Amino acid sequence: MPAEVLPVDPSAPDPETVGRAARALRDGLLVIFPTETVYGLAARADRPDAVAALRAAKGREGAKPLTLHFPTLEEALRRFGPLPEGAARLAERRLPGPVTLVVPDPAGGTAGVRVPDDAVARAVLEAAGCPVVATSVNLSGEPPATTGAAAAASEAGRRAAVVLDAGPARLGKPSTVVRFEGDRVEILREGAVPADEALEDAARLMLFVCTGNLCRSPLAAAIAAKVMADRRGIGVGDLLSRGRVARSAGTAAGTGNAATPESVAEGRRLGVDLSGHRSSPVTPTLVGRSHRVFTAEASHRRAILEFVPEAARRVDLLDPAGRDLADPFGRGADAYGRMASLAAEAVRRRSEEGTLEGG
């Protein structure tokens, strides 16, 4: 029997149309609905016969995990409990949205978690009132369907009971799939969200702040990244895959300026590369995203807390002894050398006491 193809308004889906799709899901039938990425083929997750039918329509054999779809992040958390640290950060910043989290399943193994940023999809998931798994509408290895017409004409469309046609999917690319295992973060598939952005959003950010973001803070951030990488026996370039990142900014910084030549030279002496650094101003958003903020001077801390007072417990002087790290700008090579040595020592002490990455 051919699928019932129902046009639906992508921004204000009709409750009756949504209800017909939701009833089909509850009855163990296959349903196709739009998401912001591509069209999805859905089945009731607690009906083995429905899941088997979905796998057959997808051409997916074996026990390759399917992704659970939820109408809200709160609903997902009720199912999975607290997410791993990196997954929780990524979820907070990106969900609802085009990201799939692969996390440990309390029932054993792993499971995919998706909260689509699409009015139709979320309305159907809410109305279904049962656990729902979904996958893209395409045979394994083929491009996904990005329009309702393509979804209805597909092999999955011929097997589905209901197809909700909302026209072209907004993004037209699949979700970015990110797996979390211990402290490891892995991009399984790059999709609508670039891989480096997903990794940054999942990482614990240590922020270093000075005035112009040309000397002290970029050097301290680079040293911190090396320290964190060395502790794990990995290269700095692999640090994001372990859920850590160090960045720098300035309270009076311009945008896009290179580090001073003296700072680049001191970095080279200490085994870090500042040649690609470009300055950026500190912002409330950046402070809010940071796990810890270390400032070169007490005046930088005061400046940050003027616009983000709630961050007081996370903002400290870089030097654990509470001393300012003097600005070497325009004061010659010796001043840069002293600054670099003091910054390296302060980062080392912060690492040893556990505050570089921890509480």
Side-chain angles (χ1 to χ4, degrees):
M1 183 176 179
E4 185 179 18
V5 180
L6 303 175
V8 61
D9 187 323
S11 58
D14 173 57
E16 182 177 344
T17 303
V18 167
R20 288 162 77 174
R23 285 192 296 274
L25 279 172
R26 287 196 297 272
D27 289 342
L29 302 175
L30 300 183
V31 169
I32 291 176
F33 55 66
T35 75
E36 78 279 23
T37 56
V38 297
Y39 273 72
L41 174 66
R44 183 166 179 163
D46 57 0
R47 285 276 299 263
D49 58 332
V51 175
L54 184 150
R55 289 186 180 278
K58 179 76 172 177
R60 177 179 289 179
E61 299 179 353
K64 186 175 180 179
L66 298 166
T67 298
L68 285 159
H69 283 53
F70 298 91
T72 65
L73 178 57
E74 292 72 23
E75 191 76 19
L77 294 177
R78 280 195 287 272
R79 164 66 174 79
F80 283 91
L83 295 172
E85 178 187 337
R89 274 192 293 270
L90 186 56
E92 180 182 358
R93 294 165 185 167
R94 292 287 182 173
L95 296 184
V99 170
T100 297
L101 311 178
V102 179
V103 297
D105 189 337
T110 60
V113 178
R114 174 99 156 87
V115 183
D117 184 20
D118 181 273
V120 177
R122 295 174 70 183
V124 171
L125 294 167
E126 183 71 40
C130 61
V132 173
V133 289
T135 184
S136 57
V137 177
N138 58 288
L139 291 174
S140 290
E142 295 185 357
T146 59
T147 67
S154 69
E155 177 64 24
R158 289 189 286 273
R159 298 182 184 225
V162 176
V163 176
L164 298 185
D165 184 353
R170 189 166 75 248
L171 300 178
K173 293 181 179 180
S175 66
T176 295
V177 182
V178 190
R179 178 166 61 193
F180 298 85
E181 185 176 358
D183 69 345
R184 297 178 185 273
V185 187
E186 181 183 3
I187 302 294
L188 298 183
R189 179 183 71 199
E190 183 173 32
V193 176
D196 57 348
E197 291 185 17
L199 289 173
E200 285 264 359
D201 283 346
R204 180 182 286 193
L205 169 62
M206 271 56 71
L207 179 65
F208 296 82
V209 177
C210 65
T211 304
N213 192 214
L214 302 176
C215 310
R216 293 168 289 177
S217 59
L219 187 59
I223 294 168
K226 185 176 187 302
V227 167
M228 291 188 287
D230 288 348
R231 286 183 59 188
R232 292 165 171 80
I234 60 176
V236 170
D238 296 321
L239 195 58
L240 268 177
S241 69
R242 303 296 286 272
R244 297 292 186 270
V245 63
R247 294 286 181 261
S248 65
T251 56
T255 299
N257 297 313
T260 61
E262 297 90 340
S263 292
V264 174
E266 288 301 324
R268 191 178 304 116
R269 177 176 69 83
L270 294 170
V272 299
D273 182 10
L274 294 186
S275 60
H277 172 76
R278 295 297 179 267
S279 63
S280 61
V282 67
T283 65
T285 298
L286 189 57
V287 172
R289 287 183 53 185
S290 301
H291 184 75
R292 294 299 300 266
V293 181
F294 296 102
T295 66
E297 300 177 14
S299 61
H300 302 136
R301 184 177 189 272
R302 290 193 296 271
I304 290 170
L305 297 185
E306 282 181 8
F307 57 84
V308 196
E310 63 273 18
R313 296 182 62 181
R314 295 184 288 110
V315 184
D316 290 297
L317 277 171
L318 175 60
D319 182 0
R323 296 168 296 193
D324 285 350
L325 185 63
D327 189 353
F329 188 81
R331 296 172 54 205
D334 288 345
Y336 273 93
R338 288 192 297 273
M339 177 274 293
S341 296
L342 291 171
E345 175 63 15
V347 170
R348 182 189 65 79
R349 290 177 61 190
R350 286 294 185 185
S351 179
E352 289 176 349
E353 72 185 17
T355 54
L356 177 61
E357 303 180 53

